[in-house]
């Protein structure tokens, strides 16, 4: 079965039809730049452009970089336009897509769902936490494979700051930090999360997962196993489509 997945990120809106049996894109993905300011209206136009590129007429799963309740309502918008807060994103996007069924899920939760099924978390029981390092820090918390949605661990306090302001990959770029210096911050952050949740496994996702050889060896002081994500850039798209399938948004 195929369902369309869209990943709304700080720099791009990416999407493709997803083959849900393989957990992979069924066609090469298409990307448009995220508009600035990333208002609901402007982003909805970007999502439409991506979906229309394929002439898609079925269900669509969409990620969002903030708290999403009920597959629909946006509650926070740390790194996108604040106009999203309290927006019914399902209604907005479905309307913009000519009435196609839509479900919305937090971006890190989507990546986590995909990694647990098809990637680094496959078959893993106990507490597993996926963290995405990008513009912010996203988190997905699982217990015996079941997601606890909207965990938002990127906003824990670290050294008196919002953790994502210290340890995201944007913080690395903004502060011109070496891989080692940044990795020490990440390790400190992971130690804090470990103190709270004692996970068996941390999965490191986001753009940096491709570069794990540059920094993962610096992170050696934890009890938990720490591994890079396997689906890398496509995890959000795949997870969004999986969620749309689970919700049966295409069945009427
Ligand atoms: C948001 C999260 C999101 C993460 C990654 C954070 O600032 O609060 O909801 O998952 O960034 O995009």
């Amino acid at each position: 079965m195929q369902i369309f997945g869209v990943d709304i990120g700080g720099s791009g809106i990416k999407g493709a039809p997803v083959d849900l049996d393989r957990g992979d894109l069924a066609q090469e993905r298409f990307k448009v730049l995220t508009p600035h300011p990333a208002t609901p209206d402007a982003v909805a136009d970007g999502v439409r452009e991506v979906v229309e590129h394929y002439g898609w007429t079925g269900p669509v799963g969409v990620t969002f970089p903030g708290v999403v309740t009920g597959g629909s309502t946006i509650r926070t918008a740390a790194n996108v336009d604040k106009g999203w807060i309290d927006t019914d994103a399902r209604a907005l996007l479905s309307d913009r897509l000519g009435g196609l069924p839509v479900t919305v899920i937090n971006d890190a939760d989507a990546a986590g769902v995909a990694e647990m099924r098809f990637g680094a978390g496959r078959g893993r029981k106990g507490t597993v936490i996926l963290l995405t390092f990008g513009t912010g820090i996203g988190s997905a918390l699982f217990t015996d494979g079941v997601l606890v949605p909207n965990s938002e661990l990127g906003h824990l306090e670290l050294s008196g700051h919002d953790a994502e302001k210290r340890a995201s990959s944007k913080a690395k770029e903004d502060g011109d930090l070496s891989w080692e210096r940044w990795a020490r911050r990440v390790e400190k952050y992971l130690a804090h999360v470990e103190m709270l949740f004692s996970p068996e496994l941390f999965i490191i996702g986001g753009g940096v997962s491709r570069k794990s050889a540059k920094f993962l060896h610096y992170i050696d002081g934890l009890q938990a196993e720490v591994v890079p994500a396997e689906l890398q850039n496509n995890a959000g798209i795949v997870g969004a489509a999986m969620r749309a399938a689970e919700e049966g948004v295409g069945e009427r």
Side-chain angles (χ1 to χ4, degrees):
M1 185 170 67
Q2 288 187 15
I3 288 207
F4 203 92
V6 180
D7 194 15
I8 299 177
S11 60
I13 300 171
K14 302 163 279 187
V18 174
D19 178 334
L20 290 172
D21 301 317
R22 289 190 298 115
D24 203 357
L25 308 191
Q27 293 180 50
E28 205 173 311
R29 68 182 195 185
F30 179 70
K31 172 177 168 176
V32 298
L33 293 180
T34 303
H36 288 289
T39 58
D41 218 40
V43 170
D45 280 342
V47 171
R48 179 176 58 189
E49 208 181 320
V50 171
V51 174
E52 277 183 354
H53 178 79
Y54 297 86
W56 185 260
T57 55
V60 180
V62 181
T63 74
F64 184 80
V67 171
V68 185
T69 54
S72 178
T73 307
I74 307 304
R75 297 292 183 199
T76 69
N79 296 304
V80 279
D81 189 82
K82 302 290 178 247
W84 278 100
I85 296 172
D86 293 336
T87 296
D88 182 344
R90 187 207 302 271
L92 170 74
L93 295 170
S94 177
D95 184 57
R96 200 61 56 94
L97 295 173
L100 298 186
V102 171
T103 193
V104 188
I105 176 174
N106 170 264
D107 56 357
D109 284 347
V113 162
E115 285 291 333
M116 292 303 284
R117 175 84 170 277
F118 296 108
R122 221 173 1 214
R124 296 294 297 245
K125 297 276 183 227
T127 303
V128 176
I129 298 178
L130 170 129
L131 296 163
T132 63
F133 293 83
T135 309
I137 297 178
S139 65
L141 171 63
F142 294 86
T143 167
D144 288 340
V146 178
L147 174 71
V148 181
N150 296 308
S151 49
E152 292 291 318
L153 303 181
H155 298 296
L156 288 173
E157 192 179 307
L158 187 67
S159 311
H161 299 269
D162 191 17
E164 72 175 21
K165 297 275 183 295
R166 299 275 303 163
S168 62
S169 32
K170 182 168 185 296
K172 177 181 183 302
E173 278 161 36
D174 291 351
D176 204 13
L177 304 179
S178 66
W179 284 105
E180 181 172 3
R181 264 195 79 195
W182 176 71
R184 298 282 172 230
R185 288 189 185 182
V186 172
E187 183 175 44
K188 193 170 172 196
Y189 169 65
L190 294 180
H192 189 60
V193 176
E194 178 164 78
M195 188 265 292
L196 294 170
F197 295 99
S198 303
E200 272 82 15
L201 175 68
F202 281 116
I203 303 174
I204 307 298
V208 290
S209 57
R210 270 177 290 129
K211 300 185 183 146
S212 60
K214 293 194 192 287
F215 67 90
L216 226 48
H217 56 282
Y218 294 121
I219 300 174
D220 54 6
L222 300 165
Q223 300 282 322
E225 199 183 332
V226 185
V227 299
E230 288 174 13
L231 277 74
Q232 300 183 350
N233 268 339
N234 294 331
I237 297 176
V238 172
M242 285 172 66
R243 170 52 60 87
E246 275 165 23
E247 282 201 356
V249 288
E251 293 154 21
R252 292 165 227 227

